[in-house]
Amino acid sequence: MAGLLSRASTVVKAKLSKLLDRAEDPSETLDYSYEQQLRLLQDVKRGVADVTTSKKRLQMQTTQLEQSVLKLETQARDALTAGREDLARAALERKALVQQQLQSLDTQVAQLEGQQQKLVTSEKQLQAKIEAFRSQKEVIKAQYSAAEAQVRIGEAATGIGEQMADTGLAIQRARDKTEQMQARASAVEELVEAGTLEDFTAGDQTPLDRELAQIQAGSQVDQELARLKGELGAGEQPKELDQ
Amino acid sequence: MIVRLMGEGQFRVENGVVEQLNALDEDASRALEADDEEALDARLDEMWDLVRSSGEPLDASDLSPSDVLIPPSDLTLEETRKLFSEEGLIPDLPQ
């Protein structure tokens, strides 16, 4: 094969031979390579943990945003009931913004999930190959002359080295994705803090919040009044009185 | 021949499949040179499907090196290009 595929293999093999050139005698090469494998395994485990953390953070944000969609919807309805179309419009505008964020978060979570899956597969394969390499290395050390051992070591090291390169690629890609997601998550948090997406029943940060709160308080007063009126005219609506 | 689907694992494939892979590989090379990411991804997906459906998966503890590596189609054009160059997308392994 002369095209892309063999070129990729050549690049991988070139990297590996550079790696193995460091050690001088065969058994040293084996031990050195084994240490590298174990280190990479640690690295991939850390990678999996990082992706998981990052995914959880995004999922938490998704839940928060879903809650604000519900609240904004309720608030828009309340505002309309109170005859305040302007406030209802403002709430619906915010809701649309939050929904956009939600859609993009869903895509990001799915992408991160894909990277996590690949990393976990790679970790399992690496672990199996390291195990095989460990037993083979002891056989090679014990049974072969230096010249023969060199050939066998080359074979074993290439086989496992390729897996190492593959795992290395998976870690790198997962890391890139995770960084992108974290930047994105921070951006969403900043938006929330800046008030663009804030829950507008909570607190009194914006004029919109205050106005809605006043309307709600106003309508509560109206309800209380209605209840009192009902009590005074007892007997007409007994079911409501019970509640 | 042994083929590695990068990120998935190794497969042993028959000669007939290798010929099909070769043809796809030529198209993929042309697509990469023409900056046609869509065509490149489509060829890579076809290669993956072909290897998955007709190849025999190697045991995870098998230490045989692969004859060729097939990258996944979710790399960007630039990433794929790097993978096939001396620069290499594959990171330096732990020091």
Side-chain angles (χ1 to χ4, degrees):
Chain A
M1 235 180 237
L4 293 183
L5 306 186
S6 57
R7 264 196 272 164
S9 321
T10 311
V11 172
V12 172
K13 279 173 189 150
K15 285 232 170 204
L16 295 174
S17 57
K18 241 193 272 170
L19 196 74
L20 291 171
D21 279 347
R22 292 165 206 243
E24 281 171 4
D25 79 80
S27 57
E28 217 179 280
T29 306
L30 287 171
D31 293 337
Y32 176 73
S33 174
Y34 185 60
E35 275 168 38
Q36 299 270 317
Q37 292 156 28
L38 293 180
R39 233 169 281 170
L40 184 63
L41 193 59
Q42 287 309 308
D43 222 24
V44 72
K45 282 183 202 293
R46 264 199 303 276
V48 172
D50 288 349
V51 176
T52 309
T53 311
S54 189
K55 206 177 77 184
K56 276 195 191 135
R57 185 175 174 196
L58 289 184
Q59 282 166 335
M60 263 168 58
Q61 285 197 329
T62 304
T63 313
Q64 281 173 352
L65 291 182
E66 274 164 358
Q67 285 168 351
S68 35
V69 167
L70 284 177
K71 271 184 195 155
L72 288 166
E73 168 82 33
T74 310
Q75 287 171 345
R77 197 165 291 149
D78 290 350
L80 263 190
T81 311
R84 291 294 307 272
E85 204 182 315
D86 57 330
L87 283 183
R89 184 176 299 279
L92 292 177
E93 277 166 8
R94 285 192 182 188
K95 190 184 133 190
L97 194 62
V98 174
Q99 275 171 328
Q100 274 174 19
Q101 292 291 335
L102 259 177
Q103 270 178 5
S104 118
L105 269 183
D106 283 347
T107 317
Q108 318 258 339
V109 170
Q111 282 177 0
L112 214 48
E113 198 125 305
Q115 295 303 325
Q116 186 183 21
Q117 214 55 51
K118 280 182 190 165
L119 210 50
V120 169
T121 307
S122 239
E123 183 193 344
K124 278 189 197 144
Q125 288 173 351
L126 183 64
Q127 193 133 28
K129 286 202 199 300
I130 289 178
E131 202 44 51
F133 183 88
R134 191 177 57 88
S135 48
Q136 202 162 325
K137 130 179 133 81
E138 294 316 315
V139 172
I140 294 173
K141 272 189 190 174
Q143 297 184 350
Y144 293 90
S145 69
E148 277 174 302
Q150 199 67 57
V151 175
R152 302 232 157 212
I153 288 160
E155 285 167 7
T158 312
I160 195 161
E162 192 186 294
Q163 180 64 49
M164 289 168 77
D166 201 340
T167 305
L169 179 64
I171 296 175
Q172 181 176 304
R173 298 206 75 217
R175 216 160 259 166
D176 288 351
K177 258 303 162 247
T178 309
E179 271 166 25
Q180 282 170 22
M181 301 297 134
Q182 278 172 346
R184 162 123 224 142
S186 306
V188 170
E189 272 156 25
E190 268 169 35
L191 268 179
V192 172
E193 274 168 28
T196 318
L197 297 178
E198 82 199 311
D199 162 15
F200 73 176
T201 44
D204 56 352
Q205 296 89 342
T206 67
L208 199 58
D209 292 334
R210 281 194 289 275
E211 240 183 300
L212 250 190
Q214 273 166 14
I215 286 173
Q216 275 175 344
S219 79
Q220 256 178 17
V221 171
D222 288 345
Q223 279 172 11
E224 291 278 288
L225 253 166
R227 189 177 57 82
L228 285 175
K229 280 181 187 166
E231 276 176 17
L232 289 172
E236 282 174 13
Q237 289 168 313
K239 272 188 183 171
E240 277 186 22
L241 275 178
D242 289 342
Q243 285 169 351
Chain B
M1 194 170 91
I2 298 175
V3 175
R4 172 181 288 274
L5 299 180
M6 297 185 79
E8 177 151 328
Q10 292 174 291
F11 295 79
R12 194 180 299 279
V13 298
E14 301 294 327
N15 286 341
V17 176
V18 174
E19 277 167 34
Q20 283 173 273
L21 282 177
N22 261 325
L24 289 168
D25 187 26
E26 274 172 37
D27 286 351
S29 295
R30 271 198 291 275
L32 184 67
E33 270 150 38
D35 285 339
D36 187 347
E37 186 162 354
E38 209 177 304
L40 175 66
D41 290 347
R43 295 299 88 74
L44 290 173
D45 283 339
E46 282 166 33
M47 287 193 242
W48 273 62
D49 290 344
L50 184 61
V51 172
R52 272 198 192 124
S53 62
S54 54
E56 177 86 24
L58 283 195
D59 194 85
S61 63
D62 194 316
L63 289 176
S64 315
S66 310
D67 298 287
V68 294
L69 311 179
I70 308 185
S73 63
D74 64 356
L75 297 176
T76 64
L77 205 61
E78 208 35 56
E79 284 173 324
T80 308
R81 217 189 296 279
K82 269 192 189 170
L83 189 63
F84 296 121
S85 71
E86 289 310 308
E87 211 183 325
L89 177 66
I90 292 163
D92 286 329
L93 299 166
Q95 297 298 307

